[in-house]
Amino acid sequence: MFDGYDSCSEDTSSSSSSEESEEEVAPLPSNLPIIKNNGQVYTYPDGKSGMATCEMCGMVGVRDAFYSKTKRFCSVSCSRSYSSNSKKASILARLQGKPPTKKAKVLQKQPLVAKLAAYAQYQATLQNQAKTKAGNSAVSVEGFSWGNYINSNSFIAAPVACFKHAPMGTCWGDISENVRIEVPNTDCSLPTKVFWIAGIIKLAGYNALLRYEGFENDSSLDFWCNICGSDIHPVGWCAASGKPLVPPRTVQHKYTNWKAFLVKRLTGAKTLPPDFSQKVSESMQYPFKPCMRVEVVDKRHLCRTRVAVVESVIGGRLRLVYEESEDRTDDFWCHMHSPLIHHIGWSRSIGHRFKRSDITKKQDGHFDTPPHLFAKVKEVDQSGEWFKEGMKLEAIDPLNLSTICVATIRKVLADGFLMIGIDGSEAADGSDWFCYHATSPSIFPVGFCEINMIELTPPRGYTKLPFKWFDYLRETGSIAAPVKLFNKDVPNHGFRVGMKLEAVDLMEPRLICVATVTRIIHRLLRIHFDGWEEEYDQWVDCESPDLYPVGWCQLTGYQLQPPASQSSRESQSASSKQKKKAKSQQYKGHKKMTTSQLKEELLDGEDYSFLQGASDQESNGSATFYIKQEP
């Protein structure tokens, strides 16, 4: 057993009262590893023993400066106080007539190593008795495990750094495989929580597959844990906190000098930053609070907004209750950085439709959310060439996020916002128009799908298939929105096809599901929900606040929806067929077309070069464009 890095061979008698009365012990091994602030393990060049923790006041300092040969106290005062407190406690116990416990009898007047061995045996006996009494009555409830899911299928997960809005997303650093950390030792029968050092074998989002030091190539006790958990610490934390380091019982016999083993293993290794847990805590502080009022899209009429009140905040996700909901069940879930929520007065300021509340005054305790808390949109210049009503474009259908559809700009609002309708399926009163900002990654120029081999959904009832933009613009007397007005920014997002993550089902936004990235087109991701059919896939931006690293639900306490079983898929698919929009005719392969030909056919030679997708199907940087083959 180690007190930080103290040797297990050291006898630390608690009855010592001064330097003269303490027992003589062998000197500690030289080259003791110490943790620097940058996470590197190094050794003192002069071979001195490093740091120590005062057993009385808890102060951490240079071991050589500590008092007494055993270096247990930082001063004479602490040594004498420790002895005095021990004596007082002993006298008080005798005065109260308390008999010695079984634990005390076992530990009394034994060397430290013998004490631990005896008590471990005593504790194991109690555990065996409890198991015998329980018999076979214990019932194991098995739930979804990310670790088992990833291990059994050799999956990879998207790195935490891909999710800037998630906890630690902007300060994850170089946490990677082979980083060492201090974790609770579960292969131990001691009565108190003890720790041991483990190395990261594999990372999956916030989760890490760990292996205790000393197991080498033995994976029998490998385990998964969330790196951001409260019991995960950088190497050196136990020494600074006075916590014991105890080698796992399974490998305890392998080495007689565990300190020398650790010195050899940890010299030159990396660990977590010393302020890692503080950064985790700070990154999970959210400015939105219950009772704040916001304007949010009306889920029944996408063309307008309503006032809602923050009911709860979980991991930055808001449960909003519409203000007029008397029983508080009419709610809407979204992230605090969602483009669907705004400050009070936003709708009036840009000319957006708004449903006035029947409530004449704010309810007690409710207050307007400060405008600076909402996600900022990029400023645009509408004074020059700009979007106009009637212009055509391609847009993700907010009512069917697996499709990109032919769409029309129906109204130009202030501050760069646009009201857009899906051609062929619009309500006469425009109640299904929806608002996108001009810089939104969910709207695209005419030809985007064609160039990137994405199936474009034509207007409902349109019979001239396959759909061709050139013919449609001519038939409708319309013009396409200029390519240069669309968002061309493509961040280095880090996602790769096949990566696992946790994603919001935007058709039922209270649900967060196990999901996979199946396609990447520039900054656009195709998200597939594991266990479900492809018709439930969703197109999502790489910076969407509705995507999270593996382990986010566990970290924040949100419920994760596991992959759907076969029975779930069958029951859901039967009811969903009636709700699905009519599918367009399937295309039959591709034929190549030169860049100049495609430009000429689409929009009189406008520059489409930025549209060429670095997709999962064509990622070699080729300048070849594609158009789908007519049947």
Side-chain angles (χ1 to χ4, degrees):
M1 181 175 182
F2 298 87
D3 181 11
Y5 281 113
D6 289 351
S7 170
C8 65
S9 63
E10 180 177 347
D11 188 352
T12 55
S13 172
S14 61
S15 63
S16 300
S17 59
S18 66
E19 180 177 359
E20 290 75 22
S21 63
E22 291 180 352
E23 299 177 359
E24 295 284 346
V25 296
L28 294 171
S30 62
N31 300 326
L32 190 69
I34 307 298
I35 307 302
K36 292 171 65 177
N37 288 339
N38 63 3
Q40 283 293 123
V41 181
Y42 76 102
T43 58
Y44 281 109
D46 57 2
K48 292 184 178 179
S49 299
M51 311 296 286
T53 304
C54 179
E55 294 185 13
M56 180 62 197
C57 68
M59 189 190 80
V60 180
V62 177
R63 188 178 190 87
D64 288 348
F66 268 45
Y67 179 74
S68 82
K69 295 180 180 178
T70 53
K71 310 299 182 186
R72 296 174 55 206
F73 306 104
C74 64
S75 65
V76 175
S77 175
C78 282
S79 175
R80 291 174 178 171
S81 297
Y82 186 90
S83 176
S84 176
N85 290 343
S86 299
K87 290 179 179 179
K88 288 178 182 179
S90 177
I91 293 172
L92 180 61
R94 289 199 298 268
L95 289 176
Q96 292 176 345
K98 293 182 178 179
T101 62
K102 289 184 179 180
K103 173 181 175 181
K105 292 178 179 179
V106 171
L107 298 180
Q108 189 176 16
K109 295 182 179 180
Q110 294 185 20
L112 180 59
V113 175
K115 289 178 183 179
L116 293 176
Y119 193 75
Q121 184 177 3
Y122 168 71
Q123 196 70 13
T125 302
L126 294 181
Q127 291 179 357
N128 290 334
Q129 291 174 352
K131 291 179 181 179
T132 302
K133 292 179 180 179
N136 297 325
S137 61
V139 178
S140 175
V141 181
E142 295 183 357
F144 174 76
S145 166
W146 263 119
N148 294 338
Y149 191 56
I150 289 175
N151 272 353
S152 59
N153 299 280
S154 299
F155 291 141
I156 58 172
V160 173
C162 293
F163 309 87
K164 305 302 182 186
H165 58 281
M168 300 299 292
T170 58
C171 53
W172 188 249
D174 58 352
I175 299 174
S176 58
E177 295 176 3
N178 296 320
V179 165
R180 306 304 207 285
I181 55 179
E182 293 180 352
V183 297
N185 178 3
T186 58
D187 185 27
C188 180
S189 56
L190 293 176
T192 58
K193 180 185 291 186
V194 295
F195 293 79
W196 190 241
I197 297 171
I200 297 178
I201 303 300
K202 183 175 183 178
L203 268 179
Y206 293 117
N207 295 344
L209 179 62
L210 302 179
R211 181 174 300 169
Y212 287 125
E213 288 295 339
F215 278 80
E216 298 176 349
N217 296 324
D218 181 2
S219 62
S220 60
L221 285 186
D222 288 1
F223 61 99
W224 286 88
C225 76
N226 196 301
I227 290 293
C228 295
S230 59
D231 276 337
I232 308 302
H233 306 283
V235 174
W237 177 84
C238 285
S241 305
K243 302 293 184 182
L245 280 174
V246 180
R249 180 172 48 186
T250 303
V251 294
Q252 200 166 19
H253 64 280
K254 291 182 65 175
Y255 302 96
T256 56
N257 189 341
W258 279 98
K259 177 178 288 187
F261 169 81
L262 288 182
V263 169
K264 182 178 179 180
R265 291 286 295 173
L266 298 181
T267 300
K270 288 185 177 181
T271 188
L272 300 177
D275 59 346
F276 183 76
S277 60
Q278 179 182 347
K279 287 184 177 180
V280 171
S281 178
E282 291 174 353
S283 67
M284 295 183 68
Q285 302 299 315
Y286 308 104
F288 281 80
K289 307 298 179 185
C291 296
M292 284 184 171
R293 300 171 77 240
V294 301
E295 288 185 10
V296 62
V297 66
D298 186 339
K299 64 183 181 182
R300 294 182 179 84
H301 300 278
L302 299 183
C303 66
R304 68 186 185 188
T305 57
R306 296 172 61 183
V307 172
V309 179
V310 177
E311 180 75 11
S312 60
V313 183
I314 303 178
R317 288 186 58 76
L318 312 177
R319 179 178 180 259
L320 304 172
V321 176
Y322 290 113
E323 198 168 47
E324 294 176 304
S325 175
E326 296 181 358
D327 59 359
R328 310 194 68 76
T329 59
D330 190 7
D331 62 358
F332 184 81
W333 281 91
C334 67
H335 192 271
M336 64 182 184
H337 294 154
S338 170
L340 301 178
I341 60 172
H342 310 275
H343 62 85
I344 298 297
W346 173 83
S347 297
R348 174 180 292 184
S349 69
I350 70 162
H352 194 283
R353 292 172 67 175
F354 175 75
K355 181 185 179 183
R356 295 186 179 277
S357 173
D358 293 337
I359 301 175
T360 56
K361 62 179 181 179
K362 288 185 287 188
Q363 299 181 17
D364 292 342
H366 294 177
F367 58 100
D368 295 351
T369 305
H372 71 272
L373 297 184
F374 295 87
K376 302 295 188 296
V377 294
K378 185 178 180 180
E379 293 185 4
V380 294
D381 181 12
Q382 297 183 224
S383 60
E385 185 177 9
W386 192 241
F387 293 99
K388 293 182 174 60
E389 291 183 16
M391 283 183 172
K392 300 294 183 181
L393 70 163
E394 298 174 6
I396 297 176
D397 184 352
L399 296 178
N400 185 3
L401 293 163
S402 66
T403 62
I404 299 178
C405 305
V406 174
T408 303
I409 297 174
R410 293 304 180 185
K411 188 177 181 180
V412 178
L413 308 179
D415 296 341
F417 289 95
L418 310 169
M419 295 302 294
I420 295 174
I422 300 298
D423 284 20
S425 60
E426 297 177 66
D429 60 355
S431 59
D432 55 355
W433 295 352
F434 48 94
C435 184
Y436 278 143
H437 193 262
T439 60
S440 169
S442 297
I443 58 174
F444 316 96
V446 163
F448 175 84
C449 287
E450 198 78 50
I451 291 170
N452 291 290
M453 296 179 292
I454 301 173
E455 181 181 347
L456 176 68
T457 302
R460 182 178 299 175
Y462 189 75
T463 57
K464 293 184 178 180
L465 300 177
F467 177 85
K468 298 184 69 172
W469 266 115
F470 181 79
D471 294 338
Y472 185 69
L473 293 174
R474 183 178 55 191
E475 293 167 6
T476 58
S478 306
I479 61 173
V483 175
K484 64 182 180 180
L485 299 181
F486 291 85
N487 184 5
K488 304 177 182 65
D489 296 336
V490 181
N492 184 18
H493 48 71
F495 287 101
R496 298 290 182 267
V497 172
M499 283 183 171
K500 297 293 179 181
L501 68 163
E502 298 176 4
V504 175
D505 180 355
L506 293 170
M507 303 310 295
E508 187 63 48
R510 65 183 177 85
L511 302 179
I512 297 183
C513 311
V514 173
T516 307
V517 178
T518 57
R519 286 197 70 184
I520 301 176
I521 310 294
H522 299 301
R523 60 183 301 147
L524 194 62
L525 309 180
R526 180 81 169 179
I527 301 299
H528 173 73
F529 297 106
D530 289 21
W532 293 93
E533 297 175 359
E534 291 184 3
E535 64 193 65
Y536 297 100
D537 290 1
Q538 297 178 359
W539 288 108
V540 181
D541 182 63
C542 65
E543 295 183 344
S544 169
D546 296 307
L547 303 178
Y548 304 98
V550 165
W552 181 89
C553 284
Q554 178 189 0
L555 177 63
T556 60
Y558 204 98
Q559 183 177 354
L560 177 66
Q561 304 298 316
S565 61
Q566 181 65 30
S567 57
S568 299
R569 291 197 301 269
E570 291 174 352
S571 61
Q572 289 289 337
S573 61
S575 61
S576 66
K577 286 181 180 178
Q578 299 176 352
K579 299 180 183 179
K580 284 179 56 183
K581 295 185 176 182
K583 283 196 171 184
S584 61
Q585 180 177 338
Q586 299 295 317
Y587 297 109
K588 302 177 181 178
H590 314 86
K591 68 177 181 181
K592 292 187 179 180
M593 191 174 188
T594 65
T595 303
S596 59
Q597 287 174 331
L598 183 60
K599 289 180 182 177
E600 182 177 357
E601 177 174 340
L602 291 177
L603 270 180
D604 299 328
E606 277 205 80
D607 183 10
Y608 270 76
S609 59
F610 83 95
L611 292 176
Q612 175 60 28
S615 70
D616 52 314
Q617 298 183 21
E618 288 288 331
S619 57
N620 58 4
S622 169
T624 304
F625 289 80
Y626 290 87
I627 186 167
K628 292 189 168 47
Q629 174 71 51
E630 296 184 13

